[in-house]
Every structure is written in structure tokens, then in C-alpha cells.
Amino acid sequence: MPELRHSSLPKAGTELIFAAFDQADRNIELQKESRIDPLTGLPNRRAYGERQTELQHLLDGKGNREGEAKPYSVMILSVDGDGLGEVNNPKVKPKEEDEKFYGQVAGDRLIQRIAGTLAMTFREGDIFRRGGDEFIGFFVAKDEESFEKIHAKI
């Protein structure tokens, strides 16, 4: 069998190979982006569904994340930013000096603040934005000590 050398490949063939690698890299990046909420940077509803399935398999003993032990406990945290509708679309026109606290931009800032607080408090991948002003967290405690640490944060 003849040895393949870079110079023996036609230029068009080499370009096709590099284009295929570039496309594969773009596809991987798009897969990552499809699981991240653009407003908050948190994992989104799709990632939430995938993690929910992983946890169900873990609890059923059918498999788990690499290195994840059978849980002592699984806790779920639900956060709903009540009143966001009133921030986005107030029923009464706010005073001029208060206008910066109302409207879509103010509502987005509020969602970002909630997300930022949750992201600083809990591990990456434990908190998800389900949509609107709804967030959910899944926490796996391996033992009583880790259960107490998570419980204290909540």
C-alpha cells in the first residue's frame, strides 16, 4: 500500500477534509449553545430535561454521571421570581424617576440578578433556567454531610 503524504492529496481533497473538521467543530459548539440560556448563561430547559433524565437513571440504578456515586438524597429547589409581570408591564404608569425600574430591560436585569445569585451560590450545572422567571436546581447529596451543606445553602 502506498504511503499517503500530504503532497500526494489533491488540493481540493485537503480542503474538503479541513472543511469537514471545521463543520464538526461548529456542530459541537452549536450543541453546547443549544443548552445554554442566552440571557443568564445558565443551562436552559433542554439541559434541565437531560439532567432530569440522568437523575432518574441514577435513582433507578441504571447509570450515572462519570464518578457520581449512588445518592444519599436528591433535593430539588424551585425559584420563581414573582412579580416579574408587573415589572415588565406595570398596570399603572410609574413616576418618571422610577421608570428605570420598569419595562422589559428592567425585567431582564432582574432575571440576570436572580441567575447570578443562584450561580454564585451553587455548583455549575446544578441550577437551570426553565424559562421566564423560573429556575430549578437539582442537588445530589452523596452522604449526610453533603446533604447538610446543600441544605444550609438553600
Side-chain angles (χ1 to χ4, degrees):
M1 179 174 218
E3 184 179 321
L4 261 182
R5 296 182 187 180
H6 179 67
S7 61
S8 67
L9 291 174
K11 184 177 180 185
T14 305
E15 289 174 359
L16 283 174
I17 291 169
F18 284 114
F21 281 121
D22 286 346
Q23 184 62 44
D25 289 344
R26 281 193 296 274
N27 287 342
I28 290 168
E29 195 58 36
L30 286 172
Q31 285 288 331
K32 289 178 187 175
E33 288 177 14
S34 74
R35 288 165 176 75
I36 299 296
D37 175 64
L39 180 63
T40 64
L42 290 175
N44 63 14
R45 181 184 293 265
R46 174 180 284 183
Y48 157 76
E50 291 169 355
R51 182 61 175 147
Q52 189 176 23
T53 301
E54 286 176 9
L55 285 173
Q56 188 61 54
H57 286 194
L58 179 65
L59 293 171
D60 292 344
K62 295 179 183 173
N64 58 8
R65 282 185 178 179
E66 191 175 310
E68 195 168 37
K70 181 118 173 122
Y72 168 80
S73 176
V74 173
M75 291 173 272
I76 300 171
L77 170 69
S78 178
V79 177
D80 190 334
D82 286 339
L84 184 65
E86 183 61 25
V87 171
N88 284 338
N89 302 305
K91 293 178 181 136
V92 178
K93 183 169 175 34
K95 297 176 191 171
E96 190 174 324
E97 64 269 13
D98 293 334
E99 282 185 357
K100 64 183 174 188
F101 300 113
Y102 293 92
Q104 197 71 43
V105 172
D108 286 352
R109 283 196 312 259
L110 181 60
I111 289 170
Q112 289 169 329
R113 295 284 302 266
I114 294 168
T117 300
L118 292 169
M120 287 187 312
T121 306
F122 301 104
R123 294 181 314 184
E124 184 177 332
D126 284 346
I127 298 289
F128 303 82
R129 180 175 181 215
R130 290 192 51 195
D133 60 351
E134 295 178 30
F135 300 87
I136 193 157
F138 292 119
F139 309 99
V140 177
K142 298 173 193 155
D143 52 36
E144 190 170 353
E145 182 181 338
S146 61
F147 173 86
E148 293 300 329
K149 285 180 183 177
I150 295 167
H151 188 263
K153 284 183 179 184
I154 293 173

